[in-house]
Amino acid sequence: MRTRMALGTAAAAIVLAAGLSGCTSMADSGSDMSTSEPTAMSTMESSAMMKSGTFMGLNDKMVSGTVTVEDGKLTLSGFSSDEGPDLHVYLTNGTDEAAVTAGMMIDKVAFDQADQTFMLSGVDLSKYTDVVIHCDKAKAVFGAAALS
């Protein structure tokens, strides 16, 4: 009886610890990431590497400009996009709707502002291959840039 109770208590403690370790503070991240899963800090954080890419339009939409991710910042340069009611920038692994759903929303993006910078606190860039411009309201990918 005592062995079962001890095992049950130990199992409950492990489940509780695992659940708490997945929690992150949205106030610490500087952006609303409610649609993405928390990511663990690693030695390959955004401040430790630089990636960049050039946007291309997708799904009959126009997106142009470049993206650079370095020193904990995602920077859009020479950026323009077709207008959308609810455009956001995401870090993803692919350019389809499923990749956006599984990716990390960074912030809202202005379709007509050429230069924009977004903070990336504790983001592990090694986990992402693309930056996607997505209209959340229409659930449509407007364009993407492959990071290299």
Side-chain angles (χ1 to χ4, degrees):
M1 178 77 164
R2 285 186 184 176
T3 303
R4 277 191 184 164
M5 192 186 298
L7 287 176
T9 303
I14 290 169
V15 170
L16 178 61
L20 292 176
S21 69
C23 294
T24 60
S25 169
M26 296 311 246
D28 292 341
S29 70
S31 64
D32 176 13
M33 298 186 310
S34 59
T35 60
S36 61
E37 294 181 16
T39 58
M41 299 289 276
S42 78
T43 58
M44 298 285 291
E45 288 182 9
S46 58
S47 60
M49 62 188 328
M50 193 276 272
K51 291 186 176 186
S52 63
T54 301
F55 282 104
M56 59 182 248
L58 298 170
N59 304 314
D60 296 325
K61 299 294 183 185
M62 188 284 301
V63 177
S64 62
T66 60
V67 60
T68 303
V69 185
E70 182 177 33
D71 295 330
K73 297 177 189 173
L74 184 148
T75 303
L76 305 179
S77 302
F79 178 80
S80 67
S81 171
D82 281 344
E83 186 173 358
D86 192 24
L87 295 180
H88 289 85
V89 61
Y90 283 80
L91 287 170
T92 66
N93 290 310
T95 60
D96 60 6
E97 198 63 33
V100 171
T101 300
M104 175 183 283
M105 182 177 64
I106 303 304
D107 208 344
K108 283 188 164 232
V109 64
F111 75 94
D112 59 351
Q113 188 175 339
D115 300 314
Q116 302 176 58
T117 301
F118 307 93
M119 298 307 297
L120 301 175
S121 178
V123 175
D124 183 353
L125 286 179
S126 69
K127 294 183 177 184
Y128 302 102
T129 59
D130 300 278
V131 174
V132 171
I133 304 302
H134 183 262
C135 181
D136 288 358
K137 185 172 185 177
K139 294 197 183 304
V141 173
F142 275 37
L147 294 172
S148 59

